[in-house]
Amino acid sequence: MTKSRALVWLVCLALATIVADGADGQEGAGGMPPLRWGAAVDSNAPYAFYGPGNILEGFEYEIIHAIAKEMGRKPQFVSNSWDGLIPGLDRGLYDMVICGIEITPAKSAEVLFSNPYYVTYEQFVTAKGTPILRSLDSMKGKKVGTLNHTSAMAMLEKVDGVEIKPYEEEINAYNDIVNGRIFGVLLDFPIAKYYAQPNPELEFNGPPFGQITYGIAFSKSNQALCDEVNQAIDRVIASGEMRDILSRWGLWTEMVAGAFKQPAAPSCPDSEYRDFVKSHHQYEKSLWDRICGYAQFWPLLLRGSLMTLQVSIFGMTLAIALGFSLAILRVYGPWPLQVLSSIYIEIIRGTPLLVQLLIIFYGLPNIGIKLHPLVAGILGLGLNYAAYEAENYRAGLLAIPKGQMEAAMALGMSHFQGLRYVVVPQSFRIVLPPVTNDFISLLKDSSLVSMVTLLDLTGAYNRIATQTFDYFGSGLLVAAIYLLIGLPFVRLARWAESTMAVDHRKSGNRPGRFSLPVPFRKKGETNGN
Amino acid sequence: MVEENGSILLVENLRKKFEENEILKGINLRVEEGDLVSIIGPSGCGKSTFLRCLNGLEEMDEGVVEIAGVRVEKGGEQGLSGREFRRRTHEARQKVGMVFQQFNLFPHRTILENVAISPQVTQGISREEAEEEARYLLGKVGLSDRMTHYPSQLSGGQQQRAAIARALALKPKIMLYDEPTSALDPELVDEVLQVMRDLDREGMTQLIVTHEMRFARDASDYIVFMDAGNIVEISDEDEMFTNPKDERTRKFLGRFL
Ligand SMILES: Nc1ncnc2c1ncn2[C@@H]1O[C@H](COP(=O)(O)OP(=O)(O)OP(=O)(O)O)[C@@H](O)[C@H]1O
Ligand SMILES: [Mg+2]
């Protein structure tokens, strides 16, 4: 009764969140559907990123808004991870992707590209005072950092003898120059300008390398929208608005001016760049000031924590229910089901959770199953942990002596009744400690759901760290929150362990020595108490 | 059928193999209502297997078992289909109580719950009614003051008495015991045997596999001696001890005489 009530409540809560999420920014302009654009906005200045106060900004953000205005559509932003951007396009999460993607023949085979909206080059950065570099070849024998899946990476791979150090976050790459771990970093000029130039210990080194053109990506089947956007881009360039935007962001270079056939001088001061440097680079700020600065992030941290908790609790509920069924099938089921359940468990345990999550979110749409990110996240964690819970329960079931089931059967119970009233309740007590421990692991593994566009606590960490450039302070803060959330469950596990130690009456077979036998009473005599 | 032949237990040509080893080689036995029968024999001769075939914890390969009015037959012309066999076995278990060497009480339930659970589950009796009956039975075996204890909090003798009460809760027509006192410290054996003596006085039919020769001799109506999967000798208790007919019986009992 109360159990089923709680379950209904949980399901309602899940649905409510899904509905609330889906309702976000659904309002279109004048009946036109919104123009949905996808980008990976963590650590993504100056393209599109969350600035102070958690407001989205960036030169790509402004370009998209300019384009949408030309088209008479309302832009709607959809967040995704960098690796998920193109799969999300095929999945229909958004109509287009704008995220500093270089137009290359290889990528053109996968997606449709708009005309270029920006042209730039690779910029090499080293520690201040490093001898000047003339060509890429002079990097031979050196450790050079860059980001995964970038044109800079492709460029470095063609140079013999360079040791490439791939990074996930540009800020970490640049910091490692200062830390002495790498010689330099090769990345797109806008990144170098925003992340390296303000740092007094770094400097641009060497000439512009190569030429890169950024394009907006569409699904191959969306030629009509691509054409429309191309026209809008042309108009934004022709009207001078593009030059204004890029000038304000300090990105109007001779190269891009030449490509757009416009004057080389910026049309206005680089005000956005200055603001960014002022608010983000805190080389002079004290640690205390930085920590105080995190106060503004508490809504983001709260949201992330709730998401983490929500995904974990629902994921674990699913894992427990499914794991229990799998264990029962594996131990007591007819042999075909035993085999199936073993296969499931082995496959799940033999493959990485991340791969499973990506298959569920990006793979299933290929066969027509599109899941809400929250559902995908919960399903991914739940299906994965079910395999581990099944093994816990199996061990628990097998730990119950055979005599228990025999006693139940001898008392006229059916096999099912024996399980229901005798074996399962006992095994539950055995598995409580490992299951609680697994929940704590799941809580930590739930950080992977940021890969399916959910903003959990780890997602929040990424966003804060890339806004404040402080992986250390914000990392400690987020770690503390994880600990805090996990603490009640750690306590529960300890409690369960100690209770089982005292309370698990090991099959009751061994005669206890707690009381002396009472004198036997003659038949028919009952003791009233 | 009970009424027809008057026997509460009838076993004909009961055979049982484990893999290729024939453990029971065609057992025949008839037990009348109210009898207390002791089964003795060397270790490994098949006593436990025989008892477990009677209530279907082991499935016999061949033969007839008619117990408490339920007839189960395997092999031969009247052999039952698998489904019918299982149905009858289940039916028989409701009328046959069994007590194990290792007690097998349910450790997660109190003594009272141990006794009251199966009538609720298998016969749909209300909790109040089942617990009232359980209290009466626990009083009978002298455990009125231990009802809210868990099995691990009781001595072995108390646990075994609770297990007997639990088996009695279904109001069985016949009780089977497999070495009920073998796991007990010597000073606790008597309190359990006493319960069985009392049940005998009430007219309960009981089949006891035991190594307690003194009890077998004093309390049984007759003794069954098994060896290597056969019943070798059935005789009046005193006669078997004073004048065993079979050489094997003489050899086995020689250790006790
Ligand atoms: N499940 C089983 N699988 C295979 N062999 C078995 C099984 N159960 C019993 N046996 C064998 O059957 C034979 C008879 O066993 P059983 O337990 O009936 O002997 P017993 O007369 O009760 O002996 P004890 O006095 O030691 O309890 C033994 O040789 C035993 O190894
Ligand atoms: Mg035995």
Side-chain angles (χ1 to χ4, degrees), chain B residues 18 23 42-49 58 179 211:
Chain B
F18 283 120
I23 304 300
S43 182
C45 71
K47 303 182 296 292
S48 297
T49 308
E58 294 300 350
E179 302 196 26
H211 290 302

Side-chain angles (χ1 to χ4, degrees), chain A residues 231-250:
Chain A
Q231 287 168 17
I233 291 177
D234 289 347
R235 288 200 296 271
V236 173
I237 293 173
S239 71
E241 192 176 356
M242 189 70 94
R243 184 175 164 211
D244 291 345
I245 294 172
L246 293 173
S247 299
R248 265 187 282 116
W249 286 95

Side-chain angles (χ1 to χ4, degrees), chain B residues 133-177:
Chain B
E133 174 71 14
R135 270 187 218 101
Y136 166 73
L137 289 168
L138 284 168
K140 241 171 95 156
V141 299
L143 291 175
S144 289
D145 52 350
R146 291 289 182 276
M147 292 194 293
T148 55
H149 289 54
Y150 284 89
S152 61
Q153 296 168 309
L154 299 190
S155 74
Q158 290 171 328
Q159 289 190 56
Q160 193 60 300
R161 283 186 276 143
I164 294 174
R166 182 176 69 171
L168 290 172
L170 285 169
K171 303 202 169 66
K173 298 263 189 317
I174 178 169
M175 290 282 284
L176 311 176
Y177 302 81

Side-chain angles (χ1 to χ4, degrees), chain A residues 61-338:
Chain A
Y61 174 85
E62 290 186 20
I63 290 174
I64 277 293
H65 276 249
I67 291 172
K69 205 169 84 207
E70 285 293 331
M71 293 166 66
R73 306 258 303 255
K74 191 162 173 102
Q76 185 191 332
F77 166 65
V78 181
S79 171
N80 204 344
S81 63
W82 170 252
D83 294 320
L85 280 176
I86 300 301
L89 202 56
D90 297 331
R91 201 178 179 285
L93 287 179
Y94 28 75
D95 307 310
M96 54 200 216
V97 171
I98 178 167
C99 201
I101 299 179
E102 189 200 3
I103 304 173
T104 62
K107 283 184 197 142
S108 297
E110 283 176 59
V111 294
L112 210 55
F113 276 112
S114 71
N115 295 338
Y117 61 87
Y118 188 59
V119 183
T120 186
Y121 49 86
E122 301 299 346
Q123 177 63 54
F124 196 62
V125 171
T126 57
K128 217 177 196 93
T130 308
I132 291 179
L133 224 69
R134 302 258 170 248
S135 73
L136 285 175
D137 285 331
S138 41
M139 294 177 194
K140 256 193 189 120
K142 301 245 174 9
K143 286 184 191 167
V144 176
T146 188
L147 295 185
N148 276 316
H149 319 294
T150 54
S151 21
M153 174 78 97
M155 202 177 276
L156 285 172
E157 276 166 353
K158 290 197 196 90
V159 185
D160 282 340
V162 176
E163 191 179 337
I164 304 172
K165 290 277 165 193
Y167 285 83
E168 289 292 332
E169 308 286 355
E170 44 275 72
I171 185 73
N172 297 342
Y174 288 120
N175 277 339
D176 271 359
I177 302 179
V178 179
N179 297 336
R181 291 207 187 106
I182 51 177
F183 172 64
V185 169
L186 186 71
L187 277 172
D188 297 11
F189 161 73
I191 301 176
K193 177 161 177 102
Y194 274 74
Y195 288 87
Q197 198 176 40
N199 189 331
E201 298 181 61
L202 301 175
E203 69 182 356
F204 285 8
N205 191 334
F209 291 114
Q211 187 179 37
I212 313 163
T213 49
Y214 291 158
I216 302 174
F218 302 86
S219 155
K220 279 267 182 204
S221 59
N222 214 352
Q223 185 70 53
L225 183 66
C226 181
D227 292 343
E228 233 184 300
V229 168
N230 275 338
Q231 287 168 17
I233 291 177
D234 289 347
R235 288 200 296 271
V236 173
I237 293 173
S239 71
E241 192 176 356
M242 189 70 94
R243 184 175 164 211
D244 291 345
I245 294 172
L246 293 173
S247 299
R248 265 187 282 116
W249 286 95
L251 298 172
W252 189 254
T253 59
E254 274 176 38
M255 187 183 272
V256 67
F260 292 162
K261 301 193 179 60
Q262 292 191 348
S267 59
C268 50
D270 54 351
S271 50
E272 295 290 354
Y273 173 69
R274 282 157 201 267
D275 281 353
F276 179 87
V277 172
K278 212 160 57 201
S279 64
H280 284 79
H281 289 268
Q282 319 186 348
Y283 301 102
E284 313 79 35
K285 277 199 196 171
S286 73
L287 182 67
W288 178 244
D289 285 343
R290 266 148 60 184
I291 288 173
C292 290
Y294 295 135
Q296 58 159 319
F297 291 113
W298 78 263
L300 182 64
L301 288 169
L302 184 69
R303 213 181 122 193
S305 307
L306 285 179
M307 176 58 78
T308 291
L309 253 182
Q310 190 182 11
V311 169
S312 304
I313 289 176
F314 286 118
M316 197 62 190
T317 310
L318 176 63
I320 287 175
L322 181 62
F324 177 67
S325 317
L326 284 168
I328 291 277
L329 286 182
R330 186 155 179 193
V331 179
Y332 295 105
W335 75 263
L337 291 180
Q338 278 185 21

Side-chain angles (χ1 to χ4, degrees), chain A residues 14-37:
Chain A
L15 289 177
T17 341
I18 291 167
V19 171
D21 270 18
D24 248 5
Q26 237 3 312
E27 71 287 358
M32 288 285 275
L35 190 62
R36 296 171 306 154
W37 59 288

Side-chain angles (χ1 to χ4, degrees), chain A residues 402 406, chain B residues 16-19 21-24 39-52 58 101 178-179 182 209-211 226 228-229:
Chain A
K402 238 176 80 210
E406 287 186 348
Chain B
K16 172 71 185 171
K17 268 190 204 163
F18 283 120
E19 282 108 42
N21 302 327
E22 189 156 46
I23 304 300
L24 300 178
I39 301 176
I40 61 174
S43 182
C45 71
K47 303 182 296 292
S48 297
T49 308
F50 173 54
L51 219 56
R52 291 158 61 83
E58 294 300 350
Q101 180 175 353
D178 191 357
E179 302 196 26
S182 295
V209 172
T210 185
H211 290 302
M226 278 182 71

Side-chain angles (χ1 to χ4, degrees), chain A residues 431-450:
Chain A
V431 301
L432 191 56
V435 167
T436 318
N437 281 325
D438 277 357
F439 180 78
I440 297 162
S441 314
L442 185 142
L443 194 70
K444 291 178 283 178
D445 278 350
S446 74
S447 62
L448 289 175
V449 300
S450 50

